[in-house]
């Protein structure tokens, strides 16, 4: 009799870029694979990543993730030279790459990593096609979020007595 499979330990979110939603208007999202080395995958399994200041960049018709820091584990192999801030290639289909390149070069968009997560045993990055927010846009977003929170509190208080 076969054993029931446990939920995959590797499924789920590795990291979220919360600052991206505050700093940018996200128009579209794309799922991209990441070209990683073995020690980077081990570090990601341990949850060691910082990609708050990272962005995607077009170099010779290909997309690369720049500015992401994946520090190596202490037990990393001695024969591997670990560069934690190296530029990592994003893996997308050609038509998706062409769409993103067109939006970046012609329309002035920026490519921002939104999240890193496991899909099966592969690491995927959610890339957002974004435009930067002005200071007044950020204030409007904050006001709207505070209003929604206050509205929820009022509704909860009202329904408690009903």
């Amino acid at each position: 009799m076969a054993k029931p499979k446990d939920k995959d330990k590797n499924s789920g979110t590795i990291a979220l870029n919360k600052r991206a939603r505050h700093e940018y208007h996200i128009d579209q999202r794309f799922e991209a694979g990441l070209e990683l080395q073995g020690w980077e995958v081990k570090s990601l399994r341990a949850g060691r990543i910082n990609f708050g200041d990272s962005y995607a960049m077009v170099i010779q018709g290909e997309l690369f993730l720049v500015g992401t820091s994946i520090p190596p584990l202490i037990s990393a192999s001695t024969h591997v030279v670990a560069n934690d801030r190296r530029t990592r290639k994003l893996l997308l289909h050609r038509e998706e790459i062409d769409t993103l390149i067109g939006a970046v070069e012609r329309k002035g968009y920026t490519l921002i990593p939104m999240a890193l997560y496991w899909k099966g045993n592969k690491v995927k990055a959610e890339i957002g096609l974004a435009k930067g927010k002005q200071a007044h846009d950020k204030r409007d977003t904050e006001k709207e979020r505070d209003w929604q929170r206050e509205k929820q509190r009022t509704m909860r208080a009202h329904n408690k007595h009903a």
Side-chain angles (χ1 to χ4, degrees), residues 43-107:
S43 289
L44 289 176
R45 286 189 199 282
R48 296 173 56 104
I49 184 170
N50 179 10
F51 73 141
D53 294 331
S54 62
Y55 56 95
M57 185 176 191
V58 179
I59 302 172
Q60 296 179 354
E62 295 181 335
L63 292 174
F64 291 90
L65 191 61
V66 179
T68 302
S69 174
I70 302 176
L73 295 173
I74 296 170
S75 62
S77 180
T78 56
H79 68 276
V80 175
V81 178
N83 179 7
D84 68 328
R85 286 218 177 252
R86 76 177 186 89
T87 302
R88 295 163 182 91
K89 187 174 182 179
L90 291 170
L91 307 171
L92 290 132
H93 291 286
R94 175 50 52 192
E95 60 266 7
E96 290 177 323
I97 293 173
D98 293 341
T99 303
L100 292 172
I101 290 173
V104 168
E105 291 180 352
R106 286 187 212 89
K107 299 177 185 170

Side-chain angles (χ1 to χ4, degrees), residues 12 28 33 70 76 113 134:
Q28 246 181 326
I70 302 176
Q134 302 292 325

Side-chain angles (χ1 to χ4, degrees), residues 13-25:
T13 305
I14 298 169
L16 290 173
N17 190 353
K18 294 178 183 176
R19 202 172 111 195
R21 286 185 186 86
H22 179 72
E23 299 282 333
Y24 299 94
H25 291 289

